[in-house]
Amino acid sequence: MKTPFRAAVSIIVAASTLTLSACSDRSTEASAAAAQQPAPTPAVVAAEPETSPAPAQPDHFYAMTEDGEYGYQQALSDDDIKAGRATSALLMVRYLGDVKGVRSIKYVDGDISNVLSCAAPCKFVKSKLIYSGRVMRTETVPVTDGSVIQAVMSDAFNDRLTVFGRKAS
């Protein structure tokens, strides 16, 4: 005679076997039914958010242009920093053009102007400080990396500037 415990285990095993075989029969039936059904239409998938392309870098160094002059951002001086200034005024220059391979720019402040000229490869600029139409001082200054004059002359030699007084074409 079987003990009640063995009988219970036998019943559980038999029930489990029947359940597993019924599941496999159902899954076979479900697979066959699914094969006969038309494929479900895919749910609408939310589109990935569009990433905007990085803004194109300008092909020049000037920050702005106005009335034929080009504005270049100057670095802050130690005095500016001590005074708590966050930015400095733009240096507004006029491009004078190319004469025999020498490019020249001019900046004007009232009666004082400075003409800076450079020939390729533009390692040094010649500076003429002019007051009321008279040359007061001339000097030759090296062009250093990251300087405003390097940016201006780079734009001049890369034909990014229009001669002052001429209309841009």
Side-chain angles (χ1 to χ4, degrees):
M1 180 148 133
K2 291 184 181 178
T3 65
F5 177 74
R6 284 188 185 179
V9 169
S10 298
I11 293 172
I12 292 173
V13 170
S16 297
T17 306
L18 288 174
T19 303
L20 288 176
S21 66
C23 286
S24 92
D25 288 345
R26 283 188 199 143
S27 65
T28 305
E29 290 171 10
S31 298
Q36 293 175 355
Q37 294 288 329
T41 57
V44 176
V45 178
E48 290 185 30
E50 291 184 26
T51 56
S52 58
Q57 295 295 322
D59 62 347
H60 55 76
F61 291 101
Y62 56 85
M64 65 164 291
T65 182
E66 181 177 67
D67 299 329
E69 294 184 315
Y70 298 89
Y72 288 86
Q73 185 67 54
Q74 302 177 77
L76 290 173
S77 68
D78 290 336
D79 291 337
D80 290 335
I81 294 169
K82 288 177 187 173
R85 292 187 186 101
T87 188
S88 61
L90 295 179
L91 176 68
M92 299 302 289
V93 301
R94 299 172 180 177
Y95 179 54
L96 301 178
D98 180 348
V99 177
K100 297 182 183 177
V102 177
R103 310 276 171 125
S104 298
I105 60 111
K106 177 181 188 178
Y107 61 91
V108 179
D109 187 6
D111 289 341
I112 301 170
S113 61
N114 195 356
V115 176
L116 301 162
S117 302
C118 189
C122 200
K123 299 291 182 189
F124 297 91
V125 294
K126 295 193 185 251
S127 170
K128 288 183 190 176
L129 186 63
I130 303 166
Y131 177 71
S132 295
R134 187 172 151 205
V135 176
M136 302 302 290
R137 180 178 62 191
T138 61
E139 60 186 359
T140 302
V141 181
V143 175
T144 57
D145 288 340
S147 65
V148 173
I149 193 61
Q150 181 194 36
V152 174
M153 288 302 176
S154 176
D155 281 350
F157 279 96
N158 289 311
D159 298 322
R160 304 294 187 245
L161 308 178
T162 301
V163 174
F164 183 76
R166 290 190 191 162
K167 297 285 183 192
S169 51

